[in-house]
Amino acid sequence: VLKEEQFGEDILHAVGYVYVKKAAQMLGYETSPLGIKGYFGALDEMGQMFKLKRRAVEGQFAKAVEEQVEAAVREKEGREPETVDEAEQRRAISSLGVAWLISLVDIETTLREVVEKVCTESGVERQVLVARAEAIVTLGQIYSEC
């Protein structure tokens, strides 16, 4: 059902991506010598979150600059200002993209925290934690294929 909604498929892919990457990172800490795969997974995660946050900030900045440039061009060319409806529609479309990126940052941040807690819960046997991480990877692959 979610797949058919606006941004639904994107949300499923984001959830799948985070599940696979974060759970694989947790497995890397547990199964590789000195946890080196987990360390590299953490670096990859930091890079992904940096890129996503940068895109959101750039979107906000670009939106503001675009509005100022458009107003200056209209004034210079002597064109009439946009109607209220045209301006609102253009801003709504631009704002929707920025809002989506901000929402995506929130979704990914929350999922990363949850997966980490599920895969590192204290008082739970190591085998259970590894099984949880493996199950989350499988679930992430299913979501990514939607």
Side-chain angles (χ1 to χ4, degrees), residues 44-56:
D44 183 46
E45 174 186 346
M46 285 189 284
Q48 167 69 12
M49 289 306 294
F50 176 79
K51 287 189 287 187
L52 192 57
K53 289 176 183 178
R54 187 190 78 216
R55 281 180 43 210

Side-chain angles (χ1 to χ4, degrees), residues 12-143:
L12 287 173
H13 289 175
V15 170
Y17 175 83
V18 171
Y19 277 6
V20 168
K21 289 295 192 174
K22 189 65 178 180
Q25 177 188 343
M26 296 292 110
L27 286 170
Y29 285 130
E30 292 295 323
T31 60
S32 65
L34 302 173
I36 196 78
K37 286 183 181 179
Y39 174 74
F40 285 120
L43 289 176
D44 183 46
E45 174 186 346
M46 285 189 284
Q48 167 69 12
M49 289 306 294
F50 176 79
K51 287 189 287 187
L52 192 57
K53 289 176 183 178
R54 187 190 78 216
R55 281 180 43 210
V57 169
E58 285 174 350
Q60 271 292 72
F61 181 73
K63 186 179 86 151
V65 169
E66 179 185 330
E67 288 175 1
Q68 290 178 352
V69 168
E70 179 65 26
V73 167
R74 284 184 182 280
E75 185 178 315
K76 182 179 179 182
E77 293 177 354
R79 289 188 285 160
E80 292 186 26
E82 292 179 302
T83 66
V84 174
D85 289 342
E86 290 172 341
E88 284 181 6
Q89 182 179 11
R90 192 173 44 77
R91 278 193 292 274
I93 290 169
S94 178
S95 295
L96 184 61
V98 172
W100 164 244
L101 288 173
I102 292 168
S103 296
L104 192 57
V105 168
D106 183 44
I107 290 168
E108 287 197 11
T109 301
T110 302
L111 287 173
R112 288 175 198 285
E113 290 172 5
V114 169
V115 171
E116 187 166 340
K117 286 181 181 181
V118 167
C119 294
T120 60
E121 185 178 356
S122 61
V124 177
E125 292 180 21
R126 182 177 176 274
Q127 293 170 315
V128 173
L129 296 176
V130 169
R132 285 179 181 179
E134 290 170 346
I136 291 171
V137 168
T138 302
L139 188 58
Q141 291 168 339
I142 292 168
Y143 283 155

